[in-house]
PDB file of all heavy atoms in Angstrom:
ATOM      1  N   LEU B  47     109.169 117.419  93.339  1.00  0.00           N
ATOM      2  CA  LEU B  47     107.857 117.633  93.891  1.00  0.00           C
ATOM      3  C   LEU B  47     106.835 117.312  92.844  1.00  0.00           C
ATOM      4  O   LEU B  47     107.030 117.631  91.640  1.00  0.00           O
ATOM      5  CB  LEU B  47     107.730 119.163  94.237  1.00  0.00           C
ATOM      6  CG  LEU B  47     106.421 119.442  95.018  1.00  0.00           C
ATOM      7  CD1 LEU B  47     106.782 120.201  96.308  1.00  0.00           C
ATOM      8  CD2 LEU B  47     105.368 120.164  94.237  1.00  0.00           C
ATOM      9  N   TRP B  49     102.606 116.983  91.616  1.00  0.00           N
ATOM     10  CA  TRP B  49     101.227 117.396  91.884  1.00  0.00           C
ATOM     11  C   TRP B  49     100.334 116.286  91.332  1.00  0.00           C
ATOM     12  O   TRP B  49     100.561 115.829  90.221  1.00  0.00           O
ATOM     13  CB  TRP B  49     100.934 118.771  91.120  1.00  0.00           C
ATOM     14  CG  TRP B  49     101.415 119.943  91.878  1.00  0.00           C
ATOM     15  CD1 TRP B  49     102.666 120.552  91.747  1.00  0.00           C
ATOM     16  CD2 TRP B  49     100.774 120.665  92.832  1.00  0.00           C
ATOM     17  NE1 TRP B  49     102.810 121.628  92.507  1.00  0.00           N
ATOM     18  CE2 TRP B  49     101.656 121.749  93.291  1.00  0.00           C
ATOM     19  CE3 TRP B  49      99.495 120.660  93.466  1.00  0.00           C
ATOM     20  CZ2 TRP B  49     101.270 122.663  94.221  1.00  0.00           C
ATOM     21  CZ3 TRP B  49      99.209 121.539  94.440  1.00  0.00           C
ATOM     22  CH2 TRP B  49     100.032 122.597  94.797  1.00  0.00           C
ATOM     23  N   LEU B  61      99.855 114.786  87.761  1.00  0.00           N
ATOM     24  CA  LEU B  61      99.616 115.882  86.818  1.00  0.00           C
ATOM     25  C   LEU B  61     101.007 116.488  86.374  1.00  0.00           C
ATOM     26  O   LEU B  61     101.208 116.524  85.205  1.00  0.00           O
ATOM     27  CB  LEU B  61      98.901 117.033  87.554  1.00  0.00           C
ATOM     28  CG  LEU B  61      97.455 116.783  88.043  1.00  0.00           C
ATOM     29  CD1 LEU B  61      96.957 117.842  88.916  1.00  0.00           C
ATOM     30  CD2 LEU B  61      96.551 116.425  86.883  1.00  0.00           C
ATOM     31  N   LEU B  62     101.871 116.727  87.313  1.00  0.00           N
ATOM     32  CA  LEU B  62     103.186 117.310  86.905  1.00  0.00           C
ATOM     33  C   LEU B  62     104.190 116.923  87.945  1.00  0.00           C
ATOM     34  O   LEU B  62     103.901 116.813  89.093  1.00  0.00           O
ATOM     35  CB  LEU B  62     103.070 118.858  86.888  1.00  0.00           C
ATOM     36  CG  LEU B  62     102.273 119.522  85.768  1.00  0.00           C
ATOM     37  CD1 LEU B  62     101.939 120.932  86.068  1.00  0.00           C
ATOM     38  CD2 LEU B  62     103.061 119.372  84.442  1.00  0.00           C
ATOM     39  N   LEU B  63     105.404 116.600  87.417  1.00  0.00           N
ATOM     40  CA  LEU B  63     106.543 116.248  88.263  1.00  0.00           C
ATOM     41  C   LEU B  63     107.631 117.228  88.006  1.00  0.00           C
ATOM     42  O   LEU B  63     108.049 117.418  86.845  1.00  0.00           O
ATOM     43  CB  LEU B  63     107.010 114.824  87.967  1.00  0.00           C
ATOM     44  CG  LEU B  63     108.291 114.348  88.609  1.00  0.00           C
ATOM     45  CD1 LEU B  63     108.027 114.122  90.071  1.00  0.00           C
ATOM     46  CD2 LEU B  63     108.753 113.058  87.963  1.00  0.00           C
ATOM     47  N   ILE B  64     108.081 117.945  89.028  1.00  0.00           N
ATOM     48  CA  ILE B  64     109.231 118.893  88.901  1.00  0.00           C
ATOM     49  C   ILE B  64     110.435 118.313  89.585  1.00  0.00           C
ATOM     50  O   ILE B  64     110.337 118.103  90.809  1.00  0.00           O
ATOM     51  CB  ILE B  64     108.854 120.243  89.520  1.00  0.00           C
ATOM     52  CG1 ILE B  64     107.497 120.742  89.097  1.00  0.00           C
ATOM     53  CG2 ILE B  64     109.932 121.296  89.035  1.00  0.00           C
ATOM     54  CD1 ILE B  64     107.095 121.962  89.742  1.00  0.00           C
ATOM     55  N   GLN B  65     111.454 118.122  88.873  1.00  0.00           N
ATOM     56  CA  GLN B  65     112.726 117.593  89.440  1.00  0.00           C
ATOM     57  C   GLN B  65     113.368 118.797  90.275  1.00  0.00           C
ATOM     58  O   GLN B  65     113.118 119.934  89.919  1.00  0.00           O
ATOM     59  CB  GLN B  65     113.690 117.082  88.350  1.00  0.00           C
ATOM     60  CG  GLN B  65     113.149 115.954  87.661  1.00  0.00           C
ATOM     61  CD  GLN B  65     113.058 114.679  88.358  1.00  0.00           C
ATOM     62  OE1 GLN B  65     113.475 114.601  89.476  1.00  0.00           O
ATOM     63  NE2 GLN B  65     112.488 113.656  87.751  1.00  0.00           N
ATOM     64  N   SER B  67     116.121 120.093  90.084  1.00  0.00           N
ATOM     65  CA  SER B  67     117.019 121.020  89.288  1.00  0.00           C
ATOM     66  C   SER B  67     116.104 121.950  88.334  1.00  0.00           C
ATOM     67  O   SER B  67     116.607 122.797  87.768  1.00  0.00           O
ATOM     68  CB  SER B  67     117.918 120.156  88.399  1.00  0.00           C
ATOM     69  OG  SER B  67     117.215 119.335  87.602  1.00  0.00           O
ATOM     70  N   GLN B  68     114.831 121.650  88.343  1.00  0.00           N
ATOM     71  CA  GLN B  68     113.945 122.423  87.527  1.00  0.00           C
ATOM     72  C   GLN B  68     113.231 123.510  88.270  1.00  0.00           C
ATOM     73  O   GLN B  68     113.062 123.451  89.516  1.00  0.00           O
ATOM     74  CB  GLN B  68     112.909 121.514  86.845  1.00  0.00           C
ATOM     75  CG  GLN B  68     113.523 120.474  85.941  1.00  0.00           C
ATOM     76  CD  GLN B  68     112.538 119.441  85.433  1.00  0.00           C
ATOM     77  OE1 GLN B  68     111.574 119.102  86.118  1.00  0.00           O
ATOM     78  NE2 GLN B  68     112.735 119.009  84.173  1.00  0.00           N
ATOM     79  N   ARG B  69     112.705 124.518  87.504  1.00  0.00           N
ATOM     80  CA  ARG B  69     111.947 125.618  88.150  1.00  0.00           C
ATOM     81  C   ARG B  69     110.476 125.437  87.890  1.00  0.00           C
ATOM     82  O   ARG B  69     109.659 125.930  88.699  1.00  0.00           O
ATOM     83  CB  ARG B  69     112.475 126.936  87.581  1.00  0.00           C
ATOM     84  CG  ARG B  69     113.883 127.255  87.890  1.00  0.00           C
ATOM     85  CD  ARG B  69     114.162 127.693  89.226  1.00  0.00           C
ATOM     86  NE  ARG B  69     113.573 129.033  89.477  1.00  0.00           N
ATOM     87  CZ  ARG B  69     113.641 129.635  90.646  1.00  0.00           C
ATOM     88  NH1 ARG B  69     114.282 129.137  91.688  1.00  0.00           N
ATOM     89  NH2 ARG B  69     113.117 130.850  90.788  1.00  0.00           N
ATOM     90  N   GLU B  70     110.077 124.898  86.785  1.00  0.00           N
ATOM     91  CA  GLU B  70     108.674 124.750  86.503  1.00  0.00           C
ATOM     92  C   GLU B  70     108.439 123.713  85.450  1.00  0.00           C
ATOM     93  O   GLU B  70     109.422 123.255  84.698  1.00  0.00           O
ATOM     94  CB  GLU B  70     108.086 126.106  85.988  1.00  0.00           C
ATOM     95  CG  GLU B  70     108.684 126.554  84.685  1.00  0.00           C
ATOM     96  CD  GLU B  70     107.966 127.912  84.244  1.00  0.00           C
ATOM     97  OE1 GLU B  70     106.823 128.230  84.732  1.00  0.00           O
ATOM     98  OE2 GLU B  70     108.574 128.641  83.475  1.00  0.00           O
ATOM     99  N   GLN B  71     107.181 123.197  85.432  1.00  0.00           N
ATOM    100  CA  GLN B  71     106.720 122.292  84.379  1.00  0.00           C
ATOM    101  C   GLN B  71     105.393 122.697  83.945  1.00  0.00           C
ATOM    102  O   GLN B  71     104.546 123.249  84.680  1.00  0.00           O
ATOM    103  CB  GLN B  71     106.614 120.906  84.974  1.00  0.00           C
ATOM    104  CG  GLN B  71     107.899 120.139  85.159  1.00  0.00           C
ATOM    105  CD  GLN B  71     108.523 119.684  83.725  1.00  0.00           C
ATOM    106  OE1 GLN B  71     107.822 119.550  82.813  1.00  0.00           O
ATOM    107  NE2 GLN B  71     109.816 119.472  83.722  1.00  0.00           N
ATOM    108  N   THR B  72     104.989 122.455  82.666  1.00  0.00           N
ATOM    109  CA  THR B  72     103.790 122.933  82.054  1.00  0.00           C
ATOM    110  C   THR B  72     103.126 121.662  81.403  1.00  0.00           C
ATOM    111  O   THR B  72     103.820 120.900  80.710  1.00  0.00           O
ATOM    112  CB  THR B  72     103.905 124.042  81.109  1.00  0.00           C
ATOM    113  OG1 THR B  72     104.508 125.170  81.814  1.00  0.00           O
ATOM    114  CG2 THR B  72     102.588 124.426  80.469  1.00  0.00           C
ATOM    115  N   SER B  73     101.789 121.631  81.490  1.00  0.00           N
ATOM    116  CA  SER B  73     101.062 120.591  80.793  1.00  0.00           C
ATOM    117  C   SER B  73      99.680 121.226  80.535  1.00  0.00           C
ATOM    118  O   SER B  73      98.804 121.362  81.404  1.00  0.00           O
ATOM    119  CB  SER B  73     100.887 119.278  81.559  1.00  0.00           C
ATOM    120  OG  SER B  73     100.099 118.467  80.913  1.00  0.00           O
ATOM    121  N   GLY B  74      99.478 121.624  79.229  1.00  0.00           N
ATOM    122  CA  GLY B  74      98.150 122.153  78.895  1.00  0.00           C
ATOM    123  C   GLY B  74      97.837 123.439  79.657  1.00  0.00           C
ATOM    124  O   GLY B  74      98.658 124.389  79.623  1.00  0.00           O
ATOM    125  N   ARG B  75      96.749 123.457  80.388  1.00  0.00           N
ATOM    126  CA  ARG B  75      96.360 124.609  81.184  1.00  0.00           C
ATOM    127  C   ARG B  75      97.028 124.675  82.573  1.00  0.00           C
ATOM    128  O   ARG B  75      96.786 125.592  83.324  1.00  0.00           O
ATOM    129  CB  ARG B  75      94.848 124.675  81.335  1.00  0.00           C
ATOM    130  CG  ARG B  75      94.093 124.900  79.993  1.00  0.00           C
ATOM    131  CD  ARG B  75      92.641 124.932  80.300  1.00  0.00           C
ATOM    132  NE  ARG B  75      92.026 123.713  80.717  1.00  0.00           N
ATOM    133  CZ  ARG B  75      91.583 123.449  81.943  1.00  0.00           C
ATOM    134  NH1 ARG B  75      91.650 124.483  82.840  1.00  0.00           N
ATOM    135  NH2 ARG B  75      91.084 122.337  82.287  1.00  0.00           N
ATOM    136  N   LEU B  76      97.844 123.723  82.805  1.00  0.00           N
ATOM    137  CA  LEU B  76      98.509 123.640  84.163  1.00  0.00           C
ATOM    138  C   LEU B  76      99.949 124.028  84.054  1.00  0.00           C
ATOM    139  O   LEU B  76     100.704 123.653  83.173  1.00  0.00           O
ATOM    140  CB  LEU B  76      98.405 122.189  84.660  1.00  0.00           C
ATOM    141  CG  LEU B  76      97.066 121.523  84.780  1.00  0.00           C
ATOM    142  CD1 LEU B  76      97.191 120.097  85.314  1.00  0.00           C
ATOM    143  CD2 LEU B  76      96.154 122.280  85.679  1.00  0.00           C
ATOM    144  N   ASN B  77     100.361 124.785  85.122  1.00  0.00           N
ATOM    145  CA  ASN B  77     101.785 125.126  85.196  1.00  0.00           C
ATOM    146  C   ASN B  77     102.171 125.043  86.675  1.00  0.00           C
ATOM    147  O   ASN B  77     101.455 125.632  87.584  1.00  0.00           O
ATOM    148  CB  ASN B  77     102.018 126.556  84.729  1.00  0.00           C
ATOM    149  CG  ASN B  77     103.395 127.070  84.966  1.00  0.00           C
ATOM    150  OD1 ASN B  77     103.850 127.489  86.042  1.00  0.00           O
ATOM    151  ND2 ASN B  77     104.300 126.878  84.005  1.00  0.00           N
ATOM    152  N   ALA B  78     103.224 124.297  86.909  1.00  0.00           N
ATOM    153  CA  ALA B  78     103.705 124.186  88.333  1.00  0.00           C
ATOM    154  C   ALA B  78     105.104 124.807  88.441  1.00  0.00           C
ATOM    155  O   ALA B  78     105.891 124.483  87.518  1.00  0.00           O
ATOM    156  CB  ALA B  78     103.714 122.676  88.728  1.00  0.00           C
ATOM    157  N   SER B  79     105.334 125.469  89.465  1.00  0.00           N
ATOM    158  CA  SER B  79     106.597 126.012  89.695  1.00  0.00           C
ATOM    159  C   SER B  79     107.211 125.520  91.068  1.00  0.00           C
ATOM    160  O   SER B  79     106.481 125.060  91.926  1.00  0.00           O
ATOM    161  CB  SER B  79     106.556 127.568  89.850  1.00  0.00           C
ATOM    162  OG  SER B  79     105.735 127.997  90.974  1.00  0.00           O
ATOM    163  N   LEU B  80     108.561 125.617  91.126  1.00  0.00           N
ATOM    164  CA  LEU B  80     109.177 125.092  92.323  1.00  0.00           C
ATOM    165  C   LEU B  80     110.306 126.013  92.739  1.00  0.00           C
ATOM    166  O   LEU B  80     111.149 126.468  91.900  1.00  0.00           O
ATOM    167  CB  LEU B  80     109.836 123.730  92.042  1.00  0.00           C
ATOM    168  CG  LEU B  80     110.731 123.109  93.154  1.00  0.00           C
ATOM    169  CD1 LEU B  80     109.864 122.898  94.394  1.00  0.00           C
ATOM    170  CD2 LEU B  80     111.413 121.830  92.693  1.00  0.00           C
ATOM    171  N   SER B  87     105.906 125.580  96.288  1.00  0.00           N
ATOM    172  CA  SER B  87     105.505 125.168  94.975  1.00  0.00           C
ATOM    173  C   SER B  87     104.095 125.692  94.730  1.00  0.00           C
ATOM    174  O   SER B  87     103.312 125.790  95.665  1.00  0.00           O
ATOM    175  CB  SER B  87     105.600 123.601  94.752  1.00  0.00           C
ATOM    176  OG  SER B  87     105.120 123.351  93.436  1.00  0.00           O
ATOM    177  N   THR B  88     103.851 126.082  93.534  1.00  0.00           N
ATOM    178  CA  THR B  88     102.521 126.605  93.186  1.00  0.00           C
ATOM    179  C   THR B  88     102.031 125.781  91.925  1.00  0.00           C
ATOM    180  O   THR B  88     102.832 125.458  91.087  1.00  0.00           O
ATOM    181  CB  THR B  88     102.505 128.069  92.916  1.00  0.00           C
ATOM    182  OG1 THR B  88     103.326 128.346  91.776  1.00  0.00           O
ATOM    183  CG2 THR B  88     102.851 128.884  94.172  1.00  0.00           C
ATOM    184  N   LEU B  89     100.763 125.589  91.881  1.00  0.00           N
ATOM    185  CA  LEU B  89     100.083 125.031  90.759  1.00  0.00           C
ATOM    186  C   LEU B  89      99.099 126.062  90.204  1.00  0.00           C
ATOM    187  O   LEU B  89      98.174 126.469  90.892  1.00  0.00           O
ATOM    188  CB  LEU B  89      99.307 123.743  91.095  1.00  0.00           C
ATOM    189  CG  LEU B  89      98.574 123.010  89.956  1.00  0.00           C
ATOM    190  CD1 LEU B  89      99.603 122.554  88.917  1.00  0.00           C
ATOM    191  CD2 LEU B  89      97.626 121.852  90.442  1.00  0.00           C
ATOM    192  N   TYR B  90      99.369 126.444  89.003  1.00  0.00           N
ATOM    193  CA  TYR B  90      98.523 127.468  88.309  1.00  0.00           C
ATOM    194  C   TYR B  90      97.643 126.760  87.333  1.00  0.00           C
ATOM    195  O   TYR B  90      98.060 125.977  86.504  1.00  0.00           O
ATOM    196  CB  TYR B  90      99.389 128.485  87.604  1.00  0.00           C
ATOM    197  CG  TYR B  90      98.716 129.520  86.784  1.00  0.00           C
ATOM    198  CD1 TYR B  90      98.164 130.650  87.442  1.00  0.00           C
ATOM    199  CD2 TYR B  90      98.614 129.439  85.423  1.00  0.00           C
ATOM    200  CE1 TYR B  90      97.535 131.598  86.636  1.00  0.00           C
ATOM    201  CE2 TYR B  90      97.963 130.383  84.662  1.00  0.00           C
ATOM    202  CZ  TYR B  90      97.486 131.461  85.281  1.00  0.00           C
ATOM    203  OH  TYR B  90      96.871 132.455  84.535  1.00  0.00           O
TER     204      TYR B  90
END
Side-chain angles (χ1 to χ4, degrees):
Chain B
L47 190 129
W49 283 92
L61 297 173
L62 290 164
L63 172 70
I64 313 175
Q65 300 291 355
S67 59
Q68 298 173 322
R69 298 281 292 182
E70 65 178 338
Q71 282 286 339
T72 298
S73 175
R75 294 183 294 108
L76 305 179
N77 175 275
S79 66
L80 175 64
S87 176
T88 60
L89 178 67
Y90 175 81

